[in-house]
Structures are given as C-alpha cells and as structure tokens.
Amino acid sequence: MLKFEHCCIFEKFNCELFISLTMFGLDPTLLFLLFFCLFAACAFEFVNGFHDTANAVATVIYTHSLKPTQAVVWSGFMNFLGLLTGGVGVTMSIIGLLPTELLIDANVYHSMAMALALLISAILWNLGTWYLGIPASSSHTLIGSIIGIGVGHALLPENSNKGISAINWDKAIEIGQALLLSPLFGFAMAIILMYILKKTIQNKAIFKEPKKNTPPPMWIRAILVTTCTLVSFFHGRNDGQKGIGLVMVILIAFLPGYFAVNTNLNLVEVKTSLTQVRQIVAKIDTVPLSEKEVESYHKVLKASDELNLILADGLTTSKLTVDQKFQIRKAALTINKNAKKLIESESVALSATDLNTLKIATAGKKAPFISYGASSSTGLAGVTDFAPAWVMWLVALSLGLGTMVGWKRIVVTIGEKIGKNHLTYAQGASAELIASLTIGLATAYKWPVSTTHVLSSGIAGTMVANRGIKNLQGGTVKNIVMAWVLTLPITIILSATLFVFFRWITG
C-alpha cells in the first residue's frame, strides 16, 4: 500500500512538473535551453563584472585609498545601483544591431541558434582575455558577436540574395565610431587634465607616488574614492545594459508571445502616436527627397498602414495573438528606424514643432523605471524598448557579484604594466574622472562604449603627461591595442561560424 501511495505521489509530481515545464508553450528540451541561455547571459555579465572591476578599483587599491576587499565590494554595489538607474537606451542600441528578420522569427530553433552563438562567442573571448590579463573590451566583444550573427544570417542559403544588407550598418557605424573615438577622447582629456592640475594645484603631494601600505591624506583619499564610485556607477549604467539586451534577445527568441512587445502598453496611446506619425510624415510628400529618403518615407507609411489595421478599437495587449505581436513589433521597428532617418535628414523640411512631435511620437518620453522595469512611457518606441524589472535585477545582481571576484589579474595590468612608474594620486584621479565623464555622456546619448579602453587609455594619457611617451610600457600597450584591434574581427568570425553551425544542426 505504501509503495502504491509513493507511486501515485511520484506520478502526481511528474504531472505537475510537466505542466510547469510546458506553461510557456515550450517542450522540456526548449525550456532547458531557455534556462541555459539565461544562465549563460548572467555568466557573461558576471564575467563582465570581474573583467571590468579593475578599471574602477585599480587606482584606489594602488594608491592605498581602500583595501582590495572594501574597493571591490563598494564597486560592486555602485555597479548594481548604476544598472538599476540606467534605463534601456544602450540596451536597444545593442539589440538594434541585429537584423530585423531575426527579431521577428517565429521559429524558436532559429532563435535558439542565434542566442547560443551570441553567448558562447562573447563568453569565450572575455574569459580568454581575462585569463591572459589583457584589459579587453566586453563592449567590443558583445557587439562583434552581434554583428557576427548578422553576417552568419547573410551566409544562410535562403538569404543569398540579400547579402549583408540585412545588418543594420547605420547603427553599427554609429556604435563603431563611439567605440573608436572614446579611448582617444579619454587619452587626450587625461593629458589635458593632468596639465591643468600641475599648473593650478600648489600642494604637490597629489603628484607623488603612494607610500607603501600607507593611506593617502584624507582629501586625496576622498577624491580617489569619489572617482572610483563614479566609474563604477557609470559602468553599471552603460555596460550593465548590454546584459539586459542579451536577456531580452533570449526572451524574445524563446517566448515571443510574452516578450515580443511590451504587454504593459496602453494601445490607445500607441494608436495616438501612430496617428501623429502618419499626419506629420504625410506632409513630407510635397518636399523633393533623395532616393534613400523616398524609400524611408514609403516604409514609414506602409508600416503605419499595417500597424493601424492591427490596432482595432478596444483591443488590449492581453487579446493579441503571437502573430499579431510579431507584426506590431516589425511595424514599430520599421517606423522608428526610418522615421529617425527622416528626422535627421537635412532635405526634409518640417517645422520645429512637427519635428519635435515626430520625435516624441516615435522615441517617446522616459518614465520612472526602477519599480517595474525600464520603458518609454509614450511613443512607438515603447512597443519594443522595454525590460521587465526582474530582468534588470537579475543582471544587476550578476554584474554586482561578478565585480567582487576575479579582479586581481586586470588590476595588476592597469596598476603596474601600462606605465613604467607607479601610479600617482593625480594620475589615478584624473584617469577615473575622465572615464566616468566619458561613459556618462555616452550613456546619455545611448552609445555603448568600452570602460576598459576608456580608463586604460586615460591612464596611458596621464603617464604620457607625466614623463612623455617613453613612460609607457611598450609590451603592455601593444597587447591592449592588439586586443582592441582583434576583438571585433575574431568575435564576428566566431559568432558567424557558430550561428551557421547551430542553424545547420537545428535544420
């Protein structure tokens, strides 16, 4: 009797487990792969945490402003806080690199191939460079992996007629410029700031090397801890959003019925924004346009018509089918992408009022997001630009915890191997102040930049400002530059290869 009861209980447990496994419409295998991909995304952000921790804590550790344990715990907390207050602007810039076809592909196995290729290539390169102690960029790594997905997508037989045109090259160029110029900006500004400090500060203690195991004077210590805090905070606001982007790509891929569009949206407001877009874009018809502008104009109107047909009166997000959600997502992405081109075009002669209305109707206005996740409160961008609160907390925890471990390898490179002399108080504060300023501005403009490259180039700039170019260690600088140059091509090739391979085995 006991055995029979145990058997019944076991069968009941299996039945409940099966129901819970299939509650999202996924079979157990796909559900396992979903959790694996989410785990891998958290692992990427965890690795990003301890890979980039050194950028914030190297200066306070090498100047004895904080003990290593204090520094990494404080940096981890500020990374965590920065991510929760950063919104999703950078997140959507990252997702915008992917071909639209991949973001609206209803085949879960195709989406799985994309997610796995993206995650594996990014994690492999991040771990490899960390193990060698090379301050490589997690931003370069992720962006290279995403572009690789687009290249792999173009190599598939069914896309042979499209070539690589499916890749959002406008967004890729915009992000590439930010990644290229930010280290140069950091290098130049660090030199200028060091020069200003030398001319204006009378107390020369700030320009001296730290005494062994002796904390600096309180005022210097306060400056260094403040700059460490700023770098950590802005690193969370910028780099943390890349992890959110990864998780959202996975959720859209595996569970489009839940995450293809923002289900908290008021469709009446979306329809109002759509009406404004249609009215304003219709005015452009009388203005002479270039061939590309005409193409963008027609794409906006066509997508607007398609979206207007779906948004019937009284429709709510709870009543949308999966197919309708995909159609809404595709239309919203098409309208926003092409409306932006028209807004930025010099040929489009619209009044300042119309341009502002069009921007708000497409890009929307930001709303408070800490309590329920990040999203645009109005505008068509709110359809796709969102992240649930639990995603932000998940990524924030991964980044914060990762910040507290594995930091030593990169710290040694940053603190000892870029310059030939020990880091001074002024050099540490200058490099971190410039890094936080650069990352903060980039986040405001929704540009993903490399914290690693900005800070290491800033430290190099302070070394040059101190004793000239000869004060740099050629071997280390060469390794950093080589990682900077090779990260994109290697991750593109690796990601494209893995994507094509996974698509081949999934059929």
Side-chain angles (χ1 to χ4, degrees):
M1 184 67 180
L2 185 61
K3 290 182 179 179
F4 178 75
E5 288 179 355
H6 283 181
C7 183
C8 290
I9 293 170
F10 182 72
E11 287 180 358
K12 183 180 179 182
F13 172 77
N14 277 346
C15 183
E16 290 176 352
L17 178 62
F18 179 77
I19 292 171
S20 64
L21 287 174
T22 56
M23 64 181 293
F24 290 120
L26 297 177
D27 60 55
T29 302
L30 284 176
L31 196 67
F32 169 78
L33 288 171
L34 167 62
F35 282 111
F36 175 80
C37 287
L38 289 175
F39 174 79
C42 291
F44 171 83
E45 204 59 29
F46 185 84
V47 172
N48 184 16
F50 69 69
H51 197 286
D52 284 4
T53 305
N55 303 308
V57 301
T59 54
V60 289
I61 290 175
Y62 273 89
T63 56
H64 312 300
S65 300
L66 289 175
K67 293 180 180 179
T69 303
Q70 295 172 327
V72 295
V73 170
W74 178 244
S75 180
F77 173 73
M78 293 310 299
N79 268 281
F80 175 84
L81 190 63
L83 189 148
L84 289 181
T85 59
V88 291
V90 176
T91 297
M92 295 308 139
S93 293
I94 293 288
I95 294 177
L97 282 173
L98 287 166
T100 305
E101 292 89 341
L102 288 175
L103 293 174
I104 56 171
D105 192 338
N107 189 315
V108 177
Y109 291 97
H110 291 176
S111 302
M112 177 198 69
M114 173 186 69
L116 287 174
L118 179 62
L119 290 164
I120 292 172
S121 56
I123 290 172
L124 283 177
W125 183 252
N126 251 10
L127 281 176
T129 51
W130 166 80
Y131 182 78
L132 296 173
I134 300 173
S137 167
S138 298
S139 302
H140 273 70
T141 302
L142 181 58
I143 289 164
S145 299
I146 289 176
I147 294 175
I149 296 294
V151 172
H153 179 68
L155 294 175
L156 296 174
E158 60 266 32
N159 298 323
S160 57
N161 61 325
K162 296 181 182 178
I164 57 174
S165 60
I167 301 172
N168 190 344
W169 288 113
D170 291 336
K171 179 62 70 175
I173 291 170
E174 178 185 324
I175 291 174
Q177 289 173 340
L179 289 171
L180 175 66
L181 296 176
S182 54
L184 301 177
F185 177 81
F187 180 80
M189 291 302 294
I191 293 176
I192 294 171
L193 182 57
M194 280 292 292
Y195 178 79
I196 293 172
L197 291 177
K198 286 181 178 180
K199 293 294 183 181
T200 57
I201 294 182
Q202 300 298 320
N203 191 334
K204 301 304 177 185
I206 196 171
F207 301 106
K208 294 180 180 179
E209 293 183 4
K211 296 178 181 179
K212 191 173 182 180
N213 298 324
T214 303
M218 185 55 68
W219 67 277
I220 295 177
R221 191 177 185 183
I223 292 172
L224 288 163
V225 172
T226 300
T227 54
C228 167
T229 301
L230 289 172
V231 172
S232 300
F233 180 76
F234 285 116
H235 175 264
R237 284 175 69 90
N238 195 280
D239 273 46
Q241 290 193 48
K242 295 154 195 169
I244 295 175
L246 272 179
V247 173
M248 290 308 297
V249 166
I250 294 165
L251 292 175
I252 293 167
F254 282 88
L255 300 169
Y258 292 87
F259 299 102
V261 297
N262 185 358
T263 53
N264 292 322
L265 274 180
N266 184 336
L267 294 184
V268 175
E269 291 182 358
V270 174
K271 196 166 184 178
T272 301
S273 297
L274 179 63
T275 302
Q276 291 176 328
V277 171
R278 288 160 59 86
Q279 289 173 347
I280 294 170
V281 172
K283 297 180 181 180
I284 300 175
D285 195 23
T286 59
V287 182
L289 301 174
S290 67
E291 185 178 342
K292 287 186 176 180
E293 290 163 349
V294 170
E295 183 182 1
S296 295
Y297 165 76
H298 284 298
K299 282 183 177 179
V300 170
L301 289 183
K302 182 181 178 183
S304 298
D305 290 337
E306 292 172 352
L307 184 53
N308 193 49
L309 287 174
I310 300 171
L311 299 177
D313 292 335
L315 185 67
T316 61
T317 51
S318 61
K319 296 179 181 178
L320 292 172
T321 65
V322 174
D323 185 54
Q324 285 177 322
K325 289 178 181 179
F326 269 126
Q327 291 178 38
I328 291 172
R329 181 177 185 85
K330 182 179 180 180
L333 288 172
T334 302
I335 293 169
N336 286 337
K337 178 181 176 181
N338 289 282
K340 184 179 179 183
K341 291 180 181 179
L342 294 174
I343 290 170
E344 294 174 349
S345 172
E346 295 180 358
S347 304
V348 176
L350 289 171
S351 67
T353 302
D354 283 342
L355 282 174
N356 187 55
T357 303
L358 185 58
K359 286 179 183 178
I360 295 174
T362 52
K365 293 180 180 179
K366 290 183 179 179
F369 45 78
I370 293 179
S371 60
Y372 58 88
S375 174
S376 297
S377 60
T378 60
L380 296 178
V383 173
T384 56
D385 296 10
F386 74 101
W390 68 265
V391 171
M392 300 182 72
W393 281 91
L394 181 68
V395 175
L397 283 170
S398 301
L399 180 66
L401 291 173
T403 302
M404 299 179 193
V405 301
W407 48 270
K408 195 168 185 180
R409 287 179 183 270
I410 308 296
V411 162
V412 171
T413 300
I414 294 288
E416 298 179 5
K417 296 182 179 179
I418 292 180
K420 293 180 179 178
N421 300 104
H422 198 292
L423 204 66
T424 67
Y425 303 127
Q427 288 173 327
S430 298
E432 290 207 323
L433 185 61
I434 294 301
S436 60
L437 175 65
T438 305
I439 300 165
L441 287 173
T443 304
Y445 284 98
K446 303 179 183 179
W447 296 332
V449 294
S450 167
T451 304
T452 302
H453 289 158
V454 171
L455 189 82
S456 56
S457 63
I459 289 177
T462 63
M463 293 292 176
V464 170
N466 200 28
R467 296 185 181 179
I469 197 74
K470 62 182 180 181
N471 197 31
L472 296 176
Q473 293 194 38
T476 302
V477 173
K478 181 181 177 182
N479 287 338
I480 293 174
V481 172
M482 286 297 290
W484 186 32
V485 171
L486 293 176
T487 294
L488 280 177
I490 288 178
T491 50
I492 288 172
I493 293 170
L494 181 59
S495 179
T497 304
L498 287 172
F499 178 74
V500 173
F501 172 72
F502 288 135
R503 282 290 293 259
W504 173 68
I505 62 175
T506 56

